[in-house]
Amino acid sequence: MSPRRTVFREVMEGSLRLAGEERARPMRLELAAELPGVLHPLADVEGDLTGRVHVPGWADDPAAAGRLRVAPIAARRIRYTLGFTADDGRRLRLDGWKTVSPRRPVRSMTFLPVTVTDADGTVAGEARLRFDLRRDLGRFLGGFRFPGPGPLRSRWRGQAGRLEVWYTTLTDPATGTGVWIHHELVAPDEGEARAHGWATVFPPGETPVFARFGPHEWSRPEDGVFAAGPVAQTGERLTGTAGAITWDLREAGGGRPLYTFPRWAWKSELLPAAQIVPKPDAVYDGVVRFGDRILELDGARGASARIYGHGNARRWAWLHADLGGGDVCEIVAAVSTRPGMNRLPPLPLLRLRVDGEDLPSGDPLLAALRLRAGIGLPSWTVHGRVGDRRIHVRVTLPPGETVSVDYTDPDGAPAVCHNSERADVRMVLARRAGRGWETEREWRLDGTGHAEVGLR
């Protein structure tokens, strides 16, 4: 498989006739596609589809996510499937397909009939959408890109004393159950590299169910991200078994990567470790089995993130908060283990994505100097200035719904992580008003925050 990808954007407009309504409503799709390999006419490939579904007065979801199959010659079809949320909170599915015809190539490649269904399969409406060649063709062709391997692929190049982590967290919208899947590559100071990890399920009001997998010998996957025995992660699927927990999940969407640490830190490896969130607003479908119970996921929101460096911090706190509508908050507050740096207070790196804008602007490391963190259990806080705004975040890990996990660094040093995918989050963003501050946005997450505290 080519290490490159094809990414492009597409806009289609038309009308949607809802069941029970006589008059059609205007409809607009603003889509971003990511396909494996370099796209060509003979291809038959499937990849991620994300974007916005807008129907005035009925739906405006900027965090829609699904799949796109492109097979214009092999199957004479280009199929779009997209999950989105209506204004009344209903989960809906859009299914559309362009039937490519050599007799009418232009019309067949620009006309998209669509069926919209409810979660139970009932038809909610039908749409007819078109791609406007005159208005959008130049922008469509100019937007094609063929980037190299994505940020999920392994960065380890055989050095001793390295730790690489892939982790995915999500919340089931139907039950409130949280899921944490942690993949880890440890290259010790001495000895062979090993791949291992764990999975945890957090049913509401119950003790978390935790199980480990591995260690296994590390071998770089040719067509994936991580592989260790029965566990695998690719750019679009997570599968595996750990003790009494098994999972088979499809990952779609995610939005553009969120750089909690500066881009230069992730690329240069100058810091002891760095973190990135390649998919901060992903959607998960599939099944998680734990014991004799089955968790069926449909449109579960979550994220996949990465860590690469020399080991875990001396102390740390972490938060991923899905704020709705594609808005997210990611925080890593840590104290380094390096001599001298280990005497400094926790340095909070915060990234808040609101309405497509990342705050604070500029270098996250410089912005962290205006923030303060208090790390503790069961609660920890971050507060301070974010540009011309002020922010206060309080995270609480419920003791009965928190799991404690032993870590081992490449140098053999131990650490303990306290994690809950059922955390409570209170967040206030304020803007200066005269001599005081006025609340601009406020979020309250009850049992849907993903958080942890690490201690030595």
Side-chain angles (χ1 to χ4, degrees), residues 169-172 175-181 200-204 208-209 288 290 295 297 401 420-422 447-450:
T169 59
L170 58 93
T171 299
D172 174 30
T175 65
T177 301
V179 177
W180 175 30
I181 302 173
T200 313
V201 182
F202 297 80
V209 179
V288 178
F290 55 110
L295 178 67
L297 298 171
E401 297 177 270
S420 179
E421 308 306 312
R422 292 272 308 152
T448 61
H450 307 164

Side-chain angles (χ1 to χ4, degrees), residues 83-401:
F84 67 99
T85 303
D87 290 345
D88 61 6
R90 284 185 300 158
R91 285 293 296 171
L92 298 159
R93 174 184 170 89
L94 178 154
D95 193 347
W97 55 94
K98 297 175 181 177
T99 302
V100 181
S101 169
R103 298 180 61 184
R104 308 182 70 180
V106 175
R107 183 184 187 280
S108 64
M109 291 284 286
T110 58
F111 175 65
L112 180 70
V114 166
T115 300
V116 178
T117 56
D118 285 304
D120 62 0
T122 302
V123 175
E126 294 186 346
R128 298 293 183 267
L129 306 176
R130 291 187 181 278
F131 174 81
D132 191 322
L133 279 173
R134 293 183 179 181
R135 185 189 64 193
D136 295 326
L137 181 59
R139 182 168 49 185
F140 173 72
L141 294 176
F144 265 80
R145 297 288 185 270
F146 305 97
L152 279 172
R153 288 191 177 266
S154 176
R155 303 194 63 189
W156 185 60
R157 299 178 299 279
Q159 315 97 310
R162 294 296 189 274
L163 174 69
E164 187 164 25
V165 176
W166 299 257
Y167 63 91
T168 296
T169 59
L170 58 93
T171 299
D172 174 30
T175 65
T177 301
V179 177
W180 175 30
I181 302 173
H182 180 105
H183 313 82
E184 192 168 286
L185 163 64
V186 181
D189 291 349
E190 297 181 1
E192 297 296 322
R194 62 184 184 274
H196 72 116
W198 49 83
T200 313
V201 182
F202 297 80
E206 300 181 28
T207 301
V209 179
F210 170 83
R212 294 181 181 268
F213 63 85
H216 299 279
E217 182 180 352
W218 169 256
S219 60
R220 184 186 299 273
E222 293 184 2
D223 59 351
V225 175
F226 178 94
V231 177
Q233 180 180 6
T234 67
E236 58 190 33
R237 194 175 181 193
L238 299 99
T239 57
T241 298
I245 304 175
T246 63
W247 60 95
D248 187 347
L249 303 175
R250 182 171 290 278
E251 181 180 55
R256 68 183 188 277
L258 195 66
Y259 285 86
T260 321
F261 283 66
R263 289 173 183 257
W264 61 261
W266 177 253
K267 294 177 180 179
S268 67
E269 304 176 18
L270 291 177
L271 297 180
Q275 184 248 26
I276 183 179
V277 192
K279 298 187 176 183
D281 185 36
V283 177
Y284 299 87
D285 301 311
V287 176
V288 178
R289 293 179 171 84
F290 55 110
D292 58 354
R293 301 162 71 174
I294 299 176
L295 178 67
E296 296 185 358
L297 298 171
D298 181 13
R301 293 284 175 181
S304 280
R306 295 283 319 280
I307 299 171
Y308 186 74
H310 295 264
N312 296 288
R314 181 179 179 85
R315 289 187 296 136
W316 73 89
W318 163 79
L319 169 70
H320 175 80
D322 179 355
L323 306 177
D327 296 347
V328 295
C329 180
E330 191 83 11
I331 299 176
V332 176
V335 177
S336 174
T337 58
R338 291 190 174 179
M341 297 177 68
N342 58 9
R343 298 180 180 273
L344 298 175
L347 186 67
L349 293 109
L350 179 149
R351 263 299 183 255
L352 177 63
R353 179 168 291 170
V354 179
D355 298 331
E357 179 186 4
D358 288 353
L359 301 173
S361 60
D363 191 302
L365 196 59
L366 294 177
L369 300 176
R370 305 181 74 188
L371 297 169
R372 297 291 180 268
I375 298 178
L377 286 170
S379 297
W380 58 271
T381 61
V382 169
H383 63 90
R385 297 287 295 273
V386 178
D388 61 349
R389 297 172 173 94
R390 188 169 69 177
I391 193 166
H392 181 84
V393 182
R394 183 177 182 84
V395 182
T396 301
L397 285 69
E401 297 177 270

